[in-house]
């Protein structure tokens, strides 16, 4: 498959997640956090049901650009069913990818389609917002668990 075909596929994945986001909605849970990206107005709330150190369910609500919504949608697919350690590993790999650092692409699924965001510094915060929210929720829960 040529590089251009792969780019087209990645664009389509991003557009699909943006137009038809997965796992959009609220959960009745204590594990929720909302953050705002003041530079562009993206606002995302992540909801997690965590049981036995595992993310049993995850949803989000929010408003923002297509990158922000697509990234939040991908995040929910990536983290549902993961242990907190697995989720943290995915988050770290995603953030490294977006920052143009070394990462393991085999750990990520559709989120790999956002790799080129690292070349668009103004969009990095859009792509990472939901992931940083989830990281905060997970770190807080891991601190409580230990």
């Amino acid at each position: 498959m040529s590089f251009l075909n792969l780019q087209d596929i990645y664009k389509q994945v991003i557009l699909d997640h943006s137009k038809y986001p997965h796992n959009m909605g609220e959960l009745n849970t204590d594990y929720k956090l909302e953050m705002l990206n003041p530079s562009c107005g993206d606002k995302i709330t992540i909801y997690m049901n965590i049981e036995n150190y595992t993310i049993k369910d995850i949803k989000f609500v929010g408003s923002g650009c297509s990158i922000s919504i697509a990234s939040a949608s991908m995040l929910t697919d990536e983290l549902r069913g993961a242990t907190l350690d697995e989720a943290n590993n995915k988050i770290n790999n995603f953030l490294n990818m977006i920052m143009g650092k070394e990462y393991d692409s085999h750990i990520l699924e559709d989120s790999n389609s956002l790799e080129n965001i690292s070349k668009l510094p103004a969009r990095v915060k859009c792509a990472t917002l939901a992931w940083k929210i989830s990281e905060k929720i997970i770190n807080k829960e891991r601190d409580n668990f230990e």
Side-chain angles (χ1 to χ4, degrees), residues 12 17 19 21 26 50 57 61 73-74 82 94 105 109 112 127 144-145:
Q12 191 58 50
H17 274 278
K19 283 181 154 180
E26 298 180 14
I50 301 172
D57 200 3
V61 295
S73 174
M74 292 174 193
F94 179 83
S105 64
E109 297 164 26
N112 279 311
N144 290 338
F145 195 76

Side-chain angles (χ1 to χ4, degrees), residues 26-67:
E26 298 180 14
L27 291 172
N28 185 14
T29 180
D30 292 334
Y31 301 105
K32 71 178 183 179
L33 181 62
E34 176 182 274
M35 288 176 65
L36 172 71
N37 178 354
S39 63
C40 69
D42 294 341
K43 184 173 159 182
I44 301 284
T45 305
I46 300 290
Y47 300 84
M48 287 185 198
N49 278 339
I50 301 172
E51 296 175 23
N52 300 322
Y53 210 65
T54 300
I55 300 169
K56 296 294 184 183
D57 200 3
I58 181 171
K59 292 187 180 250
F60 80 99
V61 295
S63 59
C65 68
S66 59
I67 297 295

